Amino acid sequence: MVKKMKLFVLMAGRYDIAKGAKIHFRLDQEKNLYIASCDQKDFGIVKYLKDGNKKELQMLGTDFDGVILRTDFNQYLAEVAVKREGKAA
């Protein structure tokens, strides 16, 4: 069974991103923020994570991908599933 964690992305606006869309994350080391992009366009930053912890997030490295589960235009949030690296507990 593949373990996943959910990242919640604070969107910079009301982006119409379809469920199932591929999202790329990269770490901006200067600002210590993970930047989310879709189709090579930055649209937000990781606000918090669920079903995972900071150590697991760091294990993913500075570039990784996920998939949109849902977006909430009212709160400017996107929920993204990301596969965890390493061995399952």
Side-chain angles (χ1 to χ4, degrees):
M1 184 168 125
V2 176
K3 295 279 190 171
K4 294 184 181 180
M5 69 176 138
K6 295 177 185 172
L7 302 179
F8 288 83
V9 175
L10 180 61
M11 297 186 296
R14 291 180 182 240
Y15 291 91
D16 186 19
I17 302 172
K19 180 179 178 180
K22 183 177 175 183
I23 304 300
H24 181 75
F25 293 94
R26 65 178 165 74
L27 177 63
D28 182 327
Q29 293 182 350
E30 185 177 301
K31 296 177 183 172
N32 200 29
L33 295 171
Y34 283 96
I35 309 297
S37 62
C38 184
D39 296 328
Q40 300 180 345
K41 295 177 185 171
D42 295 345
F43 72 92
I45 59 171
V46 173
K47 184 171 182 177
Y48 59 94
L49 59 123
K50 182 179 177 183
D51 302 330
N53 58 47
K54 188 175 180 178
K55 184 177 179 181
E56 290 173 317
L57 181 62
Q58 291 171 338
M59 287 176 62
L60 295 174
T62 58
D63 286 285
F64 56 92
D65 296 312
V67 176
I68 285 279
L69 297 175
R70 68 181 183 89
T71 55
D72 183 339
F73 293 125
N74 294 325
Q75 295 183 358
Y76 293 90
L77 285 177
E79 184 177 354
V80 182
V82 176
K83 291 181 184 176
R84 294 183 194 181
E85 295 291 320
K87 296 180 180 176

